[in-house]
Amino acid sequence: QKLIKQPVIFTMAKKYDVVIIGAGPAGLALGICLRKKGYPTAILEREDSIQRTVCGEYLSPQGADYLERMGLESSLRGFRRVWGMRLSSPAGRSVLARFPEAKLGVALNRQEFQKRLAGLYLELGGLIFFGQTLRAIEKTDSGLIITTTHDSHPCHALVGADGRLSTVAKLMKMEREDAKSTRVATHCYLKP
């Protein structure tokens, strides 16, 4: 599937209804919804390509149901359905946690999942600009101007789908206090 892999430099020739910061699952799913409704939409991603991250290698039953209700079940094809999870401590203790109501979640490769969502979004005429680090957000009489390391993108609305340490939230002075707390995650890949 064709993705815009290198930073694409546009001058302010096109105004988008919506600019989304972040090409993760949330940003891509929103982009798909907006494109299905016909809104000119651009997604700006700071990485140069879709990366495999250390979190989010599964969807809860609610997440899988949500994607299916959106008509995006093709993005889940071939991934393994799971009934829950086993949480284990370094001391060898474990807790078996089944999903409620015997519903199934999905174990997935996050990078492949995001590439599938990106492909669906691009097929709908959306644009993804990689290598675009957000630098400034300027309010104007006619909307916003989003400035990145490579370009400026005029738009009517901006959505920050850029995670817990959101640059959008920081620039808009909407940062949560607890977002700066130290957190640790461990990630590993196991054979079934």
Side-chain angles (χ1 to χ4, degrees), residues 2-9 23 28 43-51 114-115 118 122 127-133 148-150:
K2 185 179 174 188
L3 301 178
I4 301 171
K5 293 196 175 199
Q6 297 301 318
V8 176
I9 300 173
L28 290 164
I43 297 176
L44 310 180
E45 170 59 45
R46 93 175 151 216
E47 299 294 337
D48 290 332
S49 62
I50 292 176
Q51 306 289 313
Q114 283 179 230
K115 284 182 177 180
L122 293 170
L127 294 172
I128 302 174
F129 298 96
F130 288 96
Q132 299 267 329
T133 300
T148 69
T149 47
H150 297 289

Side-chain angles (χ1 to χ4, degrees), residues 20-24 26-27 159-163 166 168:
I20 301 166
I21 305 298
V159 175
D162 55 341
S166 171
V168 173

Side-chain angles (χ1 to χ4, degrees), residues 114-185:
Q114 283 179 230
K115 284 182 177 180
R116 291 177 186 184
L117 289 177
L120 294 168
Y121 170 72
L122 293 170
E123 285 173 15
L124 293 167
L127 294 172
I128 302 174
F129 298 96
F130 288 96
Q132 299 267 329
T133 300
L134 180 61
R135 295 288 187 227
I137 302 167
E138 178 187 347
K139 295 180 185 179
T140 69
D141 290 339
S142 61
L144 300 166
I145 297 176
I146 311 307
T147 303
T148 69
T149 47
H150 297 289
D151 207 355
S152 292
H153 303 272
C155 62
H156 295 289
L158 171 67
V159 175
D162 55 341
R164 187 173 64 88
L165 300 175
S166 171
T167 303
V168 173
K170 181 179 177 184
L171 291 173
M172 298 297 291
K173 300 191 181 340
M174 299 171 69
E175 240 179 332
R176 290 185 2 216
E177 288 299 317
D178 67 340
K180 295 178 183 174
S181 64
T182 303
R183 297 182 183 189
V184 175

Side-chain angles (χ1 to χ4, degrees), residues 22 34 36 40 46 52-53 75 77 86 88 91-92 96 127 136 147 154-155 169 174 178 187 191:
L34 291 168
K36 283 183 175 181
R46 93 175 151 216
R52 191 163 189 186
T53 61
S75 66
R77 228 173 258 132
R86 180 181 302 274
S88 301
L96 186 62
L127 294 172
T147 303
C155 62
M174 299 171 69
D178 67 340
H187 187 93
K191 291 185 178 185

